[in-house]
Amino acid sequence: GQQVMQIPQYQHVQEGEDFTTYCNSSTTLSNIQWYKQRPGGHPVFLIQLVKSGEVKKQKRLTFQFGEAKKNSSLHITATQTTDVGTYFCHINNAGNMLTFGGGTRLMVKP
Amino acid sequence: EAGVAQSPRYKIIEKRQSVAFWCNPISGHATLYWYQQILGQGPKLLIQFQNNGVVDDSQLPKDRFSAERLKGVDSTLKIQPAKLEDSAVYLCASSRRGDSGNTIYFGEGSWLTVV
């Protein structure tokens, strides 16, 4: 079945430091989405990547899709306390199986 | 645009009791999803509806969980009888279509505690 691994599970950073989370799939993906879930909240859509090697930016967030379309990363530059939450990748492989990664919980120390 | 509505927000029941959750998706969204999110884990898809038909229920524990979307709009998820391990947040979500690449919009969730 579809396997997706997200690393790391947890990350503590000092405010101002950078943060990266990685999502790795065992199969080629048709697209990948990233969601953010604040503590006590629900997942909120951030972005979707479709093309091989695609890079998208949203202010301090940079999203990349691997050339082989099997992995993706989310990088936050100069974290702020408002970045606190859990970041999930969401994949839809060629067989239309929808799966969330386990998430990376980001904690930011002010 | 109104978001995905869910009720109740919180429910505490004893094991072996039953519980039902209700969801009203965003107007015009053909696809409705129920997810189970256990604390510290990612959401797990329980069932996906396209209008009033089931697209995927492969991870739904059918011996105790059931879901319906009779008129292709709102939906209910039922658990009977509940077990301790069913304690989780039940997230309802919707999207315009169910095919690849559609943004999924989540409701606030229904928090279930089974004691």
Side-chain angles (χ1 to χ4, degrees):
Chain A
Q2 180 65 32
Q3 297 282 336
V4 57
M5 181 164 293
Q6 206 174 334
I7 55 171
Q9 271 192 296
Y10 307 93
Q11 184 89 57
H12 286 85
V13 299
Q14 194 72 41
E15 189 172 22
E17 291 182 338
D18 292 355
F19 159 78
T20 305
T21 173
Y22 301 89
C23 189
N24 299 302
S25 168
S26 56
T27 62
T28 301
L29 304 170
S30 54
N31 63 71
I32 191 165
Q33 299 175 337
W34 285 92
Y35 289 77
K36 176 184 178 182
Q37 185 173 25
R38 294 182 185 277
H42 59 278
V44 175
F45 174 79
L46 293 176
I47 209 153
Q48 176 173 281
L49 304 171
V50 179
K51 299 176 185 175
S52 168
E54 188 170 14
V55 178
K56 288 187 176 180
K57 293 192 175 187
Q58 288 180 351
K59 297 183 181 178
R60 295 178 294 104
L61 276 62
T62 302
F63 304 84
Q64 287 191 309
F65 203 6
E67 294 289 341
K69 298 183 71 173
K70 287 188 175 183
N71 54 66
S72 179
S73 65
L74 157 58
H75 179 83
I76 303 178
T77 304
T79 55
Q80 300 175 358
T81 55
T82 53
D83 296 325
V84 163
T86 303
Y87 293 84
F88 292 99
C89 60
H90 179 253
I91 65 171
N92 184 340
N93 70 359
N96 260 348
M97 290 282 292
L98 302 175
T99 306
F100 275 90
T104 296
R105 184 179 171 193
L106 172 64
M107 288 154 279
V108 180
K109 288 177 282 188
Chain B
E1 179 178 71
V4 177
Q6 288 189 247
S7 66
R9 285 297 313 277
Y10 305 95
K11 191 77 176 177
I12 301 174
I13 62 172
E14 294 182 351
K15 58 184 179 184
R16 290 187 289 274
Q17 285 187 325
S18 63
V19 63
F21 302 112
W22 173 83
C23 172
N24 193 31
I26 293 173
S27 177
H29 281 195
T31 305
L32 185 147
Y33 313 81
W34 283 102
Y35 289 87
Q36 179 193 58
Q37 187 174 26
I38 293 171
L39 190 65
Q41 298 181 16
K44 183 180 87 170
L45 180 66
L46 293 176
I47 190 167
Q48 177 184 345
F49 291 97
Q50 179 76 11
N51 297 309
N52 61 350
V54 175
V55 174
D56 182 1
D57 63 356
S58 57
Q59 298 192 94
L60 185 74
K62 298 180 185 65
D63 58 333
R64 298 184 301 105
F65 286 65
S66 64
E68 59 183 17
R69 192 185 186 199
L70 292 175
K71 296 182 180 178
V73 182
D74 57 349
S75 174
T76 55
L77 174 70
K78 295 180 182 177
I79 307 174
Q80 182 179 15
K83 293 185 176 181
L84 296 177
E85 59 261 36
D86 298 332
S87 295
V89 180
Y90 290 86
L91 293 162
C92 180
S94 70
S95 63
R96 290 193 184 280
R97 305 183 311 273
D99 55 318
S100 174
N102 268 259
T103 300
I104 300 174
Y105 297 88
F106 286 85
E108 297 288 337
S110 293
W111 296 64
L112 174 66
T113 302
V114 182
V115 298

Coordinates of all heavy atoms in Angstrom, one line a residue, chain A residues 17-78:
Chain A
E17 N 15.4 31.0 13.9 CA 16.1 29.9 13.2 C 15.2 29.4 12.1 O 14.0 29.6 12.0 CB 16.4 28.8 14.2 CG 17.5 29.2 15.3 CD 17.8 28.0 16.2 OE1 16.9 27.1 16.4 OE2 18.9 28.0 16.8
D18 N 15.9 28.6 11.2 CA 15.2 28.0 10.1 C 14.6 26.7 10.5 O 15.1 26.1 11.5 CB 16.1 27.9 8.9 CG 16.5 29.2 8.3 OD1 16.0 30.3 8.8 OD2 17.3 29.2 7.4
F19 N 13.7 26.2 9.7 CA 13.0 24.9 10.0 C 12.7 24.2 8.6 O 12.3 24.9 7.7 CB 11.7 25.1 10.7 CG 10.7 24.0 10.7 CD1 10.9 22.8 11.4 CD2 9.6 24.0 9.8 CE1 10.0 21.8 11.3 CE2 8.7 23.0 9.8 CZ 8.9 21.9 10.5
T20 N 13.0 22.9 8.6 CA 12.6 22.1 7.4 C 12.0 20.8 7.8 O 12.4 20.1 8.7 CB 13.9 21.8 6.5 OG1 14.5 23.1 6.2 CG2 13.5 21.2 5.2
T21 N 10.9 20.5 7.1 CA 10.3 19.1 7.2 C 10.3 18.5 5.9 O 10.1 19.1 4.8 CB 8.9 19.2 7.8 OG1 8.3 17.9 7.8 CG2 8.0 20.2 7.0
Y22 N 10.4 17.1 5.9 CA 10.5 16.4 4.6 C 9.5 15.3 4.6 O 9.1 14.7 5.6 CB 11.9 15.7 4.6 CG 13.1 16.6 4.7 CD1 13.6 17.0 5.9 CD2 13.6 17.1 3.5 CE1 14.7 17.8 5.9 CE2 14.7 18.0 3.6 CZ 15.3 18.3 4.8 OH 16.3 19.2 4.9
C23 N 9.0 15.1 3.4 CA 8.0 14.1 3.2 C 8.5 13.1 2.1 O 8.9 13.6 1.0 CB 6.7 14.7 2.7 SG 5.3 13.6 2.7
N24 N 8.5 11.8 2.3 CA 9.1 10.9 1.4 C 8.1 9.8 1.1 O 7.5 9.2 2.0 CB 10.4 10.2 2.0 CG 11.4 11.3 2.2 OD1 11.8 12.0 1.3 ND2 11.9 11.4 3.4
S25 N 7.9 9.5 -0.2 CA 6.9 8.5 -0.6 C 7.7 7.3 -1.2 O 8.7 7.4 -1.8 CB 6.0 9.1 -1.6 OG 5.2 8.1 -2.2
S26 N 7.0 6.1 -1.1 CA 7.6 4.9 -1.7 C 7.3 4.8 -3.2 O 7.8 4.0 -3.9 CB 7.2 3.7 -0.9 OG 5.7 3.6 -0.9
T27 N 6.3 5.6 -3.6 CA 5.9 5.6 -5.0 C 5.8 7.0 -5.6 O 5.8 8.0 -4.9 CB 4.5 4.9 -5.2 OG1 3.6 5.7 -4.5 CG2 4.5 3.5 -4.6
T28 N 5.8 7.0 -6.9 CA 5.7 8.3 -7.6 C 4.4 8.9 -7.3 O 3.3 8.3 -7.4 CB 5.9 8.1 -9.1 OG1 7.2 7.5 -9.3 CG2 5.9 9.4 -9.8
L29 N 4.4 10.2 -7.1 CA 3.2 10.9 -6.7 C 2.6 11.8 -7.9 O 3.4 12.3 -8.7 CB 3.4 11.9 -5.6 CG 4.0 11.2 -4.3 CD1 4.5 12.3 -3.3 CD2 3.0 10.3 -3.7
S30 N 1.3 11.9 -8.0 CA 0.7 12.8 -9.0 C 0.8 14.2 -8.5 O 1.0 15.1 -9.3 CB -0.7 12.4 -9.3 OG -1.5 12.3 -8.1
N31 N 0.7 14.4 -7.2 CA 0.8 15.8 -6.7 C 1.0 15.6 -5.2 O 0.9 14.5 -4.6 CB -0.4 16.6 -7.0 CG -1.7 16.1 -6.3 OD1 -1.8 16.1 -5.1 ND2 -2.6 15.6 -7.1
I32 N 1.4 16.7 -4.5 CA 1.5 16.7 -3.1 C 1.0 18.0 -2.5 O 1.1 19.1 -3.2 CB 3.0 16.4 -2.6 CG1 3.0 16.2 -1.1 CG2 3.9 17.6 -3.0 CD1 4.3 15.6 -0.7
Q33 N 0.3 17.9 -1.4 CA -0.2 19.1 -0.8 C 0.4 19.2 0.6 O 0.8 18.2 1.2 CB -1.8 19.1 -0.7 CG -2.5 19.0 -2.0 CD -4.0 18.8 -1.8 OE1 -4.4 18.3 -0.8 NE2 -4.8 19.2 -2.8
W34 N 0.5 20.5 1.1 CA 0.9 20.7 2.5 C -0.2 21.4 3.2 O -0.8 22.3 2.7 CB 2.2 21.5 2.5 CG 3.4 20.8 2.0 CD1 3.9 20.7 0.8 CD2 4.3 20.0 2.9 NE1 5.1 19.9 0.8 CE2 5.3 19.5 2.1 CE3 4.3 19.7 4.3 CZ2 6.3 18.6 2.6 CZ3 5.3 18.9 4.8 CH2 6.3 18.4 3.9
Y35 N -0.3 21.0 4.5 CA -1.3 21.5 5.4 C -0.6 21.9 6.7 O 0.3 21.3 7.1 CB -2.4 20.5 5.7 CG -3.4 20.3 4.5 CD1 -3.0 19.4 3.5 CD2 -4.6 20.8 4.5 CE1 -3.8 19.2 2.4 CE2 -5.5 20.6 3.4 CZ -5.1 19.8 2.4 OH -5.9 19.5 1.3
K36 N -1.2 22.9 7.4 CA -0.8 23.3 8.7 C -1.9 23.2 9.7 O -3.0 23.6 9.4 CB -0.3 24.8 8.7 CG 0.2 25.2 10.1 CD 0.6 26.7 10.1 CE 0.9 27.2 11.5 NZ 1.3 28.6 11.5
Q37 N -1.6 22.6 10.8 CA -2.6 22.4 11.9 C -2.1 23.1 13.2 O -1.1 22.7 13.7 CB -2.9 21.0 12.1 CG -4.1 20.7 13.1 CD -4.4 19.2 13.2 OE1 -3.6 18.4 12.9 NE2 -5.7 19.0 13.6
R38 N -2.8 24.2 13.6 CA -2.4 24.8 14.8 C -2.8 24.0 16.0 O -3.8 23.2 15.8 CB -3.0 26.2 14.9 CG -2.5 27.2 13.9 CD -3.1 28.5 14.1 NE -2.8 29.5 13.1 CZ -1.7 30.2 13.0 NH1 -0.8 30.1 14.0 NH2 -1.4 31.0 12.0
P39 N -2.2 24.1 17.1 CA -2.6 23.3 18.3 C -4.1 23.5 18.6 O -4.6 24.6 18.7 CB -1.8 23.9 19.4 CG -0.5 24.4 18.8 CD -1.0 24.9 17.4
G40 N -4.9 22.4 18.7 CA -6.3 22.5 18.9 C -7.1 22.8 17.7 O -8.4 22.9 17.8
G41 N -6.5 23.0 16.6 CA -7.2 23.4 15.4 C -7.4 22.3 14.4 O -7.1 21.1 14.7
H42 N -7.8 22.7 13.2 CA -7.9 21.7 12.1 C -6.9 22.0 11.0 O -6.4 23.1 10.9 CB -9.4 21.7 11.6 CG -9.8 23.0 11.1 ND1 -10.2 24.1 11.9 CD2 -9.8 23.5 9.8 CE1 -10.5 25.1 11.1 NE2 -10.2 24.8 9.9
P43 N -6.6 21.0 10.2 CA -5.7 21.2 9.1 C -6.2 22.3 8.1 O -7.3 22.3 7.8 CB -5.5 19.8 8.4 CG -6.0 18.9 9.5 CD -7.0 19.6 10.3
V44 N -5.2 23.1 7.7 CA -5.6 24.2 6.8 C -4.6 24.1 5.6 O -3.4 24.0 5.8 CB -5.4 25.6 7.4 CG1 -5.6 26.7 6.4 CG2 -6.4 25.7 8.5
F45 N -5.2 24.1 4.4 CA -4.4 24.0 3.2 C -3.4 25.1 3.0 O -3.7 26.3 3.3 CB -5.3 24.0 2.0 CG -4.7 24.0 0.6 CD1 -4.2 22.8 0.1 CD2 -4.5 25.1 -0.1 CE1 -3.6 22.8 -1.1 CE2 -3.9 25.1 -1.3 CZ -3.4 24.0 -1.9
L46 N -2.1 24.7 2.7 CA -1.1 25.7 2.4 C -0.8 25.8 0.9 O -0.8 26.9 0.4 CB 0.2 25.4 3.2 CG 0.2 25.4 4.7 CD1 1.5 24.9 5.2 CD2 -0.1 26.8 5.2
I47 N -0.5 24.7 0.3 CA -0.1 24.8 -1.1 C -0.1 23.4 -1.7 O -0.2 22.4 -1.0 CB 1.4 25.3 -1.2 CG1 1.6 26.0 -2.5 CG2 2.4 24.2 -1.0 CD1 2.7 27.1 -2.4
Q48 N -0.1 23.4 -3.1 CA -0.1 22.1 -3.8 C 1.1 22.2 -4.8 O 1.3 23.2 -5.5 CB -1.4 21.9 -4.6 CG -1.4 20.7 -5.4 CD -2.7 20.4 -6.0 OE1 -3.6 19.8 -5.4 NE2 -2.9 20.7 -7.3
L49 N 1.8 21.1 -4.9 CA 2.9 21.0 -5.9 C 2.5 19.9 -6.9 O 2.0 18.8 -6.5 CB 4.2 20.7 -5.2 CG 4.7 21.7 -4.2 CD1 5.9 21.1 -3.4 CD2 5.0 23.0 -4.8
V50 N 2.7 20.1 -8.2 CA 2.3 19.2 -9.2 C 3.5 18.7 -10.1 O 3.6 17.6 -10.4 CB 1.2 19.7 -10.1 CG1 0.8 18.8 -11.1 CG2 0.0 20.1 -9.2
K51 N 4.3 19.7 -10.4 CA 5.4 19.4 -11.5 C 6.7 18.9 -10.8 O 7.0 19.4 -9.7 CB 5.6 20.7 -12.3 CG 4.4 21.2 -13.0 CD 4.8 22.5 -13.7 CE 3.5 23.1 -14.4 NZ 3.8 24.4 -14.9
S52 N 7.4 18.1 -11.5 CA 8.7 17.6 -11.1 C 9.6 18.8 -10.9 O 9.7 19.7 -11.8 CB 9.2 16.7 -12.2 OG 10.6 16.4 -12.0
G53 N 10.3 18.8 -9.7 CA 11.2 19.9 -9.4 C 10.6 21.2 -9.1 O 11.3 22.2 -8.9
E54 N 9.3 21.3 -8.9 CA 8.6 22.5 -8.7 C 9.0 23.2 -7.4 O 9.2 22.5 -6.4 CB 7.1 22.3 -8.7 CG 6.3 23.6 -8.7 CD 4.8 23.3 -9.0 OE1 4.4 22.1 -8.9 OE2 4.1 24.3 -9.2
V55 N 9.2 24.5 -7.4 CA 9.5 25.2 -6.2 C 8.5 26.4 -6.1 O 8.2 27.1 -7.0 CB 10.9 25.8 -6.2 CG1 11.1 26.7 -4.9 CG2 11.9 24.7 -6.3
K56 N 7.8 26.5 -4.9 CA 6.9 27.6 -4.7 C 7.2 28.3 -3.4 O 7.6 27.6 -2.4 CB 5.4 27.1 -4.7 CG 4.9 26.6 -6.0 CD 3.4 26.3 -5.9 CE 2.8 26.0 -7.2 NZ 1.3 25.7 -7.2
K57 N 7.0 29.6 -3.4 CA 7.2 30.3 -2.1 C 6.0 31.1 -1.7 O 5.2 31.6 -2.5 CB 8.4 31.3 -2.4 CG 9.7 30.6 -2.7 CD 10.9 31.6 -2.6 CE 12.2 30.9 -2.8 NZ 13.4 31.8 -2.6
Q58 N 5.9 31.1 -0.4 CA 4.8 31.9 0.3 C 5.5 32.7 1.4 O 5.7 32.1 2.5 CB 3.7 31.0 0.9 CG 2.8 30.4 -0.1 CD 1.7 29.5 0.6 OE1 1.8 29.3 1.8 NE2 0.8 29.1 -0.2
K59 N 5.9 33.9 1.2 CA 6.6 34.7 2.2 C 7.8 34.0 2.7 O 8.8 33.7 1.9 CB 5.6 35.1 3.3 CG 4.5 36.0 2.8 CD 3.6 36.4 3.9 CE 2.4 37.2 3.4 NZ 1.5 37.6 4.5
R60 N 7.8 33.5 3.9 CA 9.0 32.8 4.5 C 9.0 31.3 4.3 O 9.9 30.6 4.7 CB 9.1 33.1 6.0 CG 9.3 34.6 6.3 CD 9.3 34.9 7.8 NE 8.0 34.6 8.4 CZ 7.7 33.5 9.1 NH1 8.6 32.6 9.3 NH2 6.5 33.4 9.6
L61 N 7.9 30.8 3.6 CA 7.8 29.4 3.4 C 8.2 29.0 1.9 O 7.8 29.7 1.0 CB 6.4 28.9 3.6 CG 5.9 28.6 5.0 CD1 6.0 29.9 5.9 CD2 4.5 28.1 5.0
T62 N 9.1 28.0 1.8 CA 9.5 27.5 0.5 C 9.2 26.0 0.4 O 9.6 25.3 1.3 CB 11.0 27.7 0.3 OG1 11.3 29.1 0.4 CG2 11.4 27.3 -1.1
F63 N 8.4 25.7 -0.6 CA 8.0 24.3 -0.9 C 8.7 23.8 -2.1 O 8.8 24.5 -3.1 CB 6.5 24.3 -1.1 CG 5.7 24.8 0.0 CD1 5.4 26.2 0.1 CD2 5.1 24.0 1.0 CE1 4.7 26.8 1.1 CE2 4.4 24.6 2.0 CZ 4.2 26.0 2.1
Q64 N 9.2 22.5 -2.0 CA 9.9 21.9 -3.1 C 9.3 20.5 -3.4 O 9.0 19.8 -2.5 CB 11.4 21.8 -2.9 CG 12.1 23.1 -2.9 CD 13.6 22.9 -2.9 OE1 14.1 22.2 -2.1 NE2 14.3 23.5 -3.9
F65 N 9.2 20.2 -4.7 CA 8.8 18.8 -5.1 C 10.0 18.2 -5.8 O 10.6 18.8 -6.7 CB 7.6 18.9 -6.1 CG 6.8 17.7 -6.1 CD1 6.9 16.6 -5.3 CD2 5.7 17.6 -7.1 CE1 6.1 15.5 -5.4 CE2 4.9 16.5 -7.1 CZ 5.1 15.5 -6.3
G66 N 10.4 17.0 -5.4 CA 11.5 16.4 -5.9 C 11.4 16.1 -7.4 O 10.3 16.0 -8.0
E67 N 12.6 15.9 -8.1 CA 12.6 15.7 -9.5 C 11.9 14.4 -9.8 O 11.3 14.3 -10.9 CB 14.1 15.6 -10.0 CG 14.8 16.9 -9.9 CD 14.4 17.9 -10.9 OE1 13.7 17.5 -11.9 OE2 14.6 19.1 -10.7
A68 N 12.0 13.4 -9.0 CA 11.4 12.1 -9.2 C 9.9 12.1 -8.7 O 9.3 11.0 -8.8 CB 12.2 11.0 -8.5
K69 N 9.5 13.2 -8.1 CA 8.1 13.3 -7.6 C 7.8 12.2 -6.6 O 6.7 11.6 -6.5 CB 7.1 13.2 -8.7 CG 7.2 14.4 -9.7 CD 6.1 14.4 -10.8 CE 4.8 14.7 -10.3 NZ 3.8 14.9 -11.4
K70 N 8.9 11.9 -5.7 CA 8.7 11.0 -4.6 C 8.9 11.6 -3.3 O 8.7 11.0 -2.3 CB 9.7 9.8 -4.8 CG 9.3 8.8 -5.9 CD 10.2 7.6 -5.8 CE 9.8 6.5 -6.8 NZ 10.6 5.3 -6.7
N71 N 9.4 12.9 -3.3 CA 9.7 13.5 -2.0 C 9.4 15.0 -2.2 O 9.4 15.6 -3.3 CB 11.1 13.3 -1.5 CG 12.1 13.6 -2.5 OD1 12.3 14.8 -2.9 ND2 12.8 12.6 -3.0
S72 N 9.2 15.6 -1.0 CA 8.9 17.1 -1.0 C 9.5 17.6 0.3 O 9.6 16.9 1.3 CB 7.4 17.3 -1.1 OG 7.1 18.7 -1.0
S73 N 9.7 18.9 0.3 CA 10.1 19.6 1.6 C 9.4 20.9 1.7 O 9.0 21.5 0.8 CB 11.6 19.8 1.6 OG 12.0 20.7 0.5
L74 N 9.3 21.3 3.0 CA 8.8 22.6 3.4 C 9.8 23.3 4.3 O 10.2 22.7 5.3 CB 7.5 22.4 4.1 CG 7.0 23.6 5.1 CD1 6.9 24.9 4.3 CD2 5.7 23.2 5.8
H75 N 10.3 24.4 3.9 CA 11.3 25.1 4.6 C 10.8 26.5 5.1 O 10.2 27.2 4.3 CB 12.5 25.4 3.7 CG 13.6 26.1 4.4 ND1 14.6 25.5 5.2 CD2 14.0 27.4 4.3 CE1 15.4 26.4 5.6 NE2 15.1 27.6 5.1
I76 N 11.0 26.8 6.3 CA 10.6 28.1 6.9 C 11.8 28.8 7.3 O 12.6 28.3 8.0 CB 9.6 27.9 8.1 CG1 8.4 27.1 7.7 CG2 9.2 29.3 8.6 CD1 7.4 26.9 8.9
T77 N 12.0 30.0 6.7 CA 13.1 30.9 7.0 C 12.7 31.8 8.2 O 11.6 32.3 8.3 CB 13.5 31.7 5.8 OG1 13.7 30.9 4.7 CG2 14.7 32.6 6.1
A78 N 13.7 31.9 9.2 CA 13.5 32.8 10.3 C 12.1 32.6 11.0 O 11.3 33.4 10.9 CB 13.7 34.2 9.8

